[in-house]
């Protein structure tokens, strides 16, 4: 049976509304984090962790990172926040060595679940070593990503409390697209990895 992780999020926010804990937020790009950051900044002191060795090619990785930095700088000014962004080491060779045995599987398969896990583990380790109160990821904002898997992965690692969420709920994805337009952000047309990159090229050929 599927769990409603949006309800779990709202219950947790109610518990901490007068505390303002420290949250490490794993982020894949500016567009996906936009509305998530806006809503969570009402409850948490947020630090962003950009850990995305899946993104291919390196130029795309760098473009998404720079777009994220530009957005957060503007967001901090607009919403009187002081959100910092930390960048993990880009190690695509290590990522692909883990994913390669699953390379024939399609988008949305166990190949993607492994990708979530690899990146989320990096964020969790950072949260533990830097003594955060909570950690989570924006990945569930995408309608193409499995929020059940994402939250099950987070549930495994709880030395720092995982913030359960399904950020696509309550029009979360729609709000993120609206903020993307408002901030004139670059919005990519494939998930990030070289497998999804090749699938995107194939789609273009069929047009």
């Amino acid at each position: 049976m599927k769990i409603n992780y949006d309800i779990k999020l709202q219950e947790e926010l109610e518990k901490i509304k007068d505390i303002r804990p420290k949250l490490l937020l794993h982020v894949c790009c500016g567009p996906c984090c936009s509305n998530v950051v806006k809503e969570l900044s009402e409850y948490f002191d947020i630090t962003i962790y950009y850990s995305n060795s899946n993104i291919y090619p390196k130029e795309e990785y760098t473009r998404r990172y720079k777009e994220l930095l530009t957005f957060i700088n503007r967001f901090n000014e607009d919403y009187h926040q002081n959100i910092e962004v930390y960048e993990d080491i880009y190690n695509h060779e290590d990522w692909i060595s883990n994913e390669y045995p699953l390379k024939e599987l399609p988008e949305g398969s166990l190949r993607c679940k492994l990708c979530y896990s690899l990146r989320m583990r990096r964020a969790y380790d950072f949260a533990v070593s830097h003594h955060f109160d909570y950690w989570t990821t924006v990945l569930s904002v995408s309608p193409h990503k499995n929020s059940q898997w994402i939250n099950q992965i987070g549930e495994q690692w709880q030395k720092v409390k995982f913030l359960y969420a399904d950020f696509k709920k309550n029009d979360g994805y729609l709000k993120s697209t609206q903020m993307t337009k408002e901030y004139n952000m670059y919005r990519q047309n494939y998930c990030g990895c070289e497998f999804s990159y090749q699938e995107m090229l194939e789609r273009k050929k069929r047009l």
Side-chain angles (χ1 to χ4, degrees):
M1 187 176 73
K2 288 187 176 181
I3 297 173
N4 189 324
Y5 288 107
D6 181 59
I7 291 177
K8 290 178 75 72
L9 171 63
Q10 300 308 318
E11 290 173 347
E12 197 65 28
L13 294 180
E14 181 64 25
K15 291 178 187 176
I16 57 94
K17 63 182 180 180
D18 299 318
I19 302 173
R20 200 164 181 83
K22 295 191 301 179
L23 169 71
L24 184 76
L25 182 64
H26 168 258
V27 164
C28 54
C29 63
C32 284
C33 86
S34 56
N35 185 64
V36 175
V37 168
K38 181 181 178 182
E39 295 188 355
L40 293 185
S41 63
E42 297 180 21
Y43 299 90
F44 295 95
D45 287 332
I46 298 174
T47 298
I48 284 175
Y49 195 58
Y50 186 77
S51 180
N52 300 292
S53 291
N54 61 306
I55 298 176
Y56 174 89
K58 178 67 181 296
E59 292 77 15
E60 177 71 16
Y61 167 91
T62 302
R63 183 177 186 181
R64 295 188 194 189
Y65 179 58
K66 289 181 177 178
E67 195 73 18
L68 171 65
L69 292 178
T70 299
F71 164 68
I72 291 300
N73 286 336
R74 288 186 59 192
F75 181 87
N76 282 339
E77 291 180 4
D78 292 345
Y79 291 89
H80 309 290
Q81 297 292 319
N82 190 31
I83 297 171
E84 294 183 302
V85 179
Y86 286 85
E87 181 187 14
D88 193 10
I89 296 169
Y90 180 75
N91 188 346
H92 187 69
E93 289 184 2
D94 184 64
W95 181 88
I96 198 67
S97 70
N98 283 283
E99 289 282 334
Y100 199 75
L102 305 178
K103 65 184 178 67
E104 300 299 333
L105 296 180
E107 193 82 4
S109 67
L110 291 178
R111 187 191 79 206
C112 295
K113 185 177 183 180
L114 175 59
C115 180
Y116 307 159
S117 183
L118 291 170
R119 290 185 284 161
M120 288 173 67
R121 180 66 201 212
R122 298 287 297 181
Y124 169 73
D125 288 343
F126 188 90
V128 170
S129 62
H130 291 78
H131 310 292
F132 282 86
D133 302 307
Y134 286 81
W135 75 285
T136 195
T137 177
V138 304
L139 292 174
S140 67
V141 77
S142 169
H144 304 295
K145 291 182 172 59
N146 188 318
S147 61
Q148 298 292 309
W149 284 352
I150 290 164
N151 284 280
Q152 289 163 9
I153 291 165
E155 189 171 26
Q156 299 175 92
W157 306 315
Q158 296 273 12
K159 286 183 180 178
V160 172
K161 193 168 186 179
F162 180 72
L163 185 69
Y164 297 100
D166 188 349
F167 291 120
K168 70 176 69 65
K169 297 293 187 180
N170 303 310
D171 291 327
Y173 177 71
L174 175 61
K175 292 172 184 174
S176 74
T177 61
Q178 291 169 340
M179 285 190 72
T180 299
K181 293 176 182 177
E182 177 186 347
Y183 281 86
N184 194 30
M185 276 189 274
Y186 160 66
R187 192 176 192 94
Q188 58 275 6
N189 59 0
Y190 67 103
C191 181
C193 73
E194 56 199 83
F195 307 118
S196 62
Y197 179 75
Q198 292 300 325
E199 289 172 6
M200 179 269 293
L201 294 180
E202 289 298 321
R203 286 195 303 271
K204 282 188 173 182
K205 288 180 183 178
R206 293 193 294 268
L207 293 178

